[in-house]
Amino acid sequence: MRKKVALSACLAGKNCRYNGERKGNPEVVAHLEKEGYEIIEFCPEDTCFGTPREAMDLVRTDEGIKALTKFSKTDRTLPVVEYAENFFSRHPDIDFFVGKARSPSCGVATALLYDEEGNLLSDTEAGIMAAEALARGIEAADDEKLLKFNKNS
Ligand code: SF4
């Protein structure tokens, strides 16, 4: 049976980013295909909130880390958590997770975390969907790191 990789759909070329812009990473797709992976695409934000949509940030609050929209400060944490749980329940045999670097949903070790005043606290966080993958023990990488690692190895 082929190995399965969960891949941020925007990296596969789907125009699901918050502003509808296309920002695929064909090098990553080609690398995963060469490695023999079956690619399973996902996009929690497009599914839950549609495209285009207000961008969101990870914010440390008194109630823990939340995904809040940039300007209206709407809490979008729960739908993304539920999407992630459902996705991995539907695909219990995912071997690898590749997320879009710096995304509050998909970044693996590059998501940005702010305080409630908008000050940057960290740029090495896991986004909400990536955190669920890591909690399930799935190996995971940001797209940019995956390519850098393979170029250097
Ligand atoms: S980074 Fe994740 S949530 Fe954002 S557009 Fe890509 S797949 Fe969707």
Side-chain angles (χ1 to χ4, degrees), residues 71-124:
F71 303 108
S72 60
K73 304 298 176 195
T74 307
D75 184 355
R76 291 195 151 167
T77 315
L78 191 58
V80 181
V81 168
E82 287 177 349
Y83 174 97
E85 288 173 353
N86 287 337
F87 177 85
F88 290 112
S89 298
R90 275 188 290 115
H91 301 286
D93 49 355
I94 294 285
D95 300 288
F96 192 27
F97 176 99
V98 177
K100 173 85 183 75
R102 291 179 294 283
S103 157
S105 293
C106 302
V108 174
T110 54
L112 310 178
L113 175 66
Y114 296 90
D115 66 17
E116 289 182 276
E117 279 71 52
N119 302 303
L120 183 65
L121 299 176
S122 164
D123 59 2
T124 57

Side-chain angles (χ1 to χ4, degrees), residues 7-11 14-18 21 23 41-47 51 53 56 80 83 97-107 129:
L7 178 69
S8 290
C10 56
L11 295 174
K14 190 173 172 200
N15 59 337
C16 52
R17 282 168 52 80
Y18 72 96
E21 184 188 312
K23 214 169 186 179
E41 296 176 21
F42 62 85
C43 180
E45 295 184 35
D46 180 54
T47 303
T51 302
R53 58 188 172 273
M56 65 187 201
V80 181
Y83 174 97
F97 176 99
V98 177
K100 173 85 183 75
R102 291 179 294 283
S103 157
S105 293
C106 302
M129 177 107 185

Side-chain angles (χ1 to χ4, degrees), residues 55-59 66-71 73 104 112-114:
M56 65 187 201
D57 291 319
L58 289 181
V59 178
K66 292 191 177 294
L68 304 181
T69 54
K70 254 185 202 310
F71 303 108
K73 304 298 176 195
L112 310 178
L113 175 66
Y114 296 90

